[in-house]
Amino acid sequence: MKSNTLMVKFLGWMIKWLKATCRDTTPLISEMMDHTLPLGKRLRVKFHLAICDVCGFYKKQLETVRALARKLGGEEAPTQQEAVLSEEAKSKIKDSLKQAS
Amino acid sequence: MPETVNSDLWVDRYGDMMYRFTLVRVKNPDSAEEIVQVTLLAALQAKGSFQGRSTEKSWLFGILKHKILDHFRELKTQRTFELTPEDGSDPLENAYLPEGHWINLPKNWDTDPHKAAENRQLVEVLAKCMDKLSDKFRNIFVLKEIEGLASDEICKEMDIKPTNLWVILHRARHQLRKCLEMNHWDTKR
């Protein structure tokens, strides 16, 4: 009897502890992308994501932002093809190379 | 056959490519131009050490990456990278209802992140969205997501407390995903 009450209390405490809101979870979703969270926080995020699709979308969005940024940073990024050194800048750099060699 | 370097052709062969690579990271065209020049001058001096183990291009880009990091270190001496009250209030502060649920629900983009990255138009939208970030947030986002530096390295190099780094990165990512949603997904429907 007594152990049952204790069990219920413990479960209630567990549920309260696990029941994080979107506001609590979103910063952790971002932080998880940068380092390993302590086990407790990790469990709270997992639990929340299991019951909240919208935060799942948020997580996927942040992962998409990361994937796009990596692409943008590549040596042959598919962007800003119009961004080129001006002829003036090119001759300036060529001159400085000539002088230095 | 080992590759040799030909500094006369550097500007014409790699100049624009290096410039674009730099511009994505530093935003300011004058700084980008200067970094390309400094890189090529440094390469010229180190020409003798080029072993032909890599291609000329990847050798130059290796030097370029170092010079870009030097640029960030230089920026730090002029202005702090640490989170300050001037960075304004948290854009996420008003994103939730009092009980902690989203007000404007993030949408289902319904795409695999890596497939999305093959979409050139989308990458271009991200570039534009990045330019709307404050300089500090943009720089830190670049160091983390484009340069791929480890968090503790960024904290050490840029003198930021880890907890503030998480805050800055989260705000930057949140602003970017919002901007992408407005300028790409919302316009599609």
Side-chain angles (χ1 to χ4, degrees):
Chain A
M1 186 70 182
K2 204 174 175 194
S3 68
N4 269 352
T5 330
L6 269 178
M7 192 67 181
V8 168
K9 265 195 175 169
F10 177 73
L11 277 175
W13 174 82
M14 274 291 281
I15 288 168
K16 214 170 147 192
W17 181 78
L18 279 170
K19 206 171 170 281
T21 63
C22 303
R23 190 212 311 265
D24 303 328
T25 310
T26 41
L28 297 177
I29 290 176
S30 171
E31 210 181 307
M32 268 168 83
M33 296 171 75
D34 302 314
H35 72 131
T36 313
L37 293 179
L39 183 65
K41 285 185 178 175
R42 232 159 47 220
L43 281 176
R44 294 184 80 179
V45 173
K46 267 207 168 151
F47 188 78
H48 183 82
L49 285 175
I51 56 166
C52 178
D53 285 348
V54 178
C55 282
F57 298 156
Y58 188 80
K59 181 169 180 276
K60 199 98 171 269
Q61 291 188 359
L62 296 195
E63 285 163 2
T64 304
V65 167
R66 167 170 280 180
L68 291 171
R70 294 211 169 138
K71 190 75 182 183
L72 179 66
E75 282 175 20
E76 317 262 2
T79 58
Q80 297 173 308
Q81 291 302 328
E82 74 281 6
V84 291
L85 281 170
S86 64
E87 285 311 313
E88 196 191 332
K90 279 185 185 165
S91 53
K92 200 180 105 196
I93 298 175
K94 281 180 185 168
D95 286 347
S96 70
L97 286 173
K98 246 179 231 146
Q99 270 174 25
S101 56
Chain B
M1 195 170 69
E3 236 187 285
T4 50
V5 290
N6 188 345
S7 56
D8 295 339
L9 296 171
W10 284 348
V11 176
D12 292 327
R13 260 192 202 160
Y14 311 113
D16 290 336
M17 224 188 289
M18 291 171 84
Y19 177 66
R20 280 195 285 268
F21 185 87
T22 312
L23 199 57
V24 164
R25 287 154 173 81
V26 306
K27 189 178 167 187
N28 179 308
D30 292 336
S31 307
E33 207 177 289
E34 197 183 308
I35 292 168
V36 172
Q37 177 166 1
V38 169
T39 299
L40 292 180
L41 282 169
L44 189 66
Q45 291 198 320
K47 212 169 151 182
S49 69
F50 178 74
Q51 306 282 331
R53 270 190 295 241
S54 54
T55 62
E56 184 180 56
K57 185 181 145 198
S58 63
W59 177 67
L60 288 173
F61 272 82
I63 301 172
L64 180 60
K65 281 182 191 168
H66 282 289
K67 295 297 171 192
I68 291 169
L69 277 187
D70 284 348
H71 169 80
F72 279 108
R73 287 190 192 104
E74 174 71 29
L75 282 181
K76 188 197 74 178
T77 64
Q78 295 161 12
R79 205 173 214 167
T80 179
F81 273 57
E82 184 58 285
L83 194 64
T84 65
E86 282 149 42
D87 294 314
S89 59
D90 186 353
L92 281 128
E93 207 172 292
N94 301 317
Y96 313 99
L97 294 165
E99 71 268 24
H101 291 301
W102 288 99
I103 293 177
N104 296 311
L105 306 182
K107 296 196 173 89
N108 182 3
W109 287 0
D110 203 18
T111 176
D112 171 74
H114 297 286
K115 274 207 187 104
E118 296 306 319
N119 180 341
R120 182 192 160 132
Q121 203 192 350
L122 205 49
V123 178
E124 274 167 20
V125 177
L126 180 79
K128 292 206 176 85
C129 289
M130 271 173 65
D131 285 347
K132 291 183 190 155
L133 294 176
S134 71
D135 285 349
K136 185 193 286 178
F137 281 38
R138 190 186 193 281
N139 288 338
I140 291 180
F141 180 80
V142 164
L143 287 173
K144 180 73 213 176
E145 300 293 41
I146 291 188
E147 287 302 299
L149 290 193
S151 304
D152 49 355
E153 243 177 309
I154 300 177
C155 290
K156 203 174 114 215
E157 288 275 3
M158 299 299 147
D159 288 331
I160 315 175
K161 286 199 203 89
T163 46
N164 287 337
L165 177 69
W166 315 137
V167 172
I168 294 172
L169 283 171
H170 185 214
R171 284 193 200 173
R173 287 175 181 141
H174 174 73
Q175 271 175 267
L176 291 171
R177 70 114 201 138
K178 217 167 140 189
C179 177
L180 278 164
E181 191 154 273
M182 273 170 55
N183 293 290
H184 185 78
W185 272 275
D186 283 357
T187 56
K188 279 205 315 191
R189 282 161 202 177

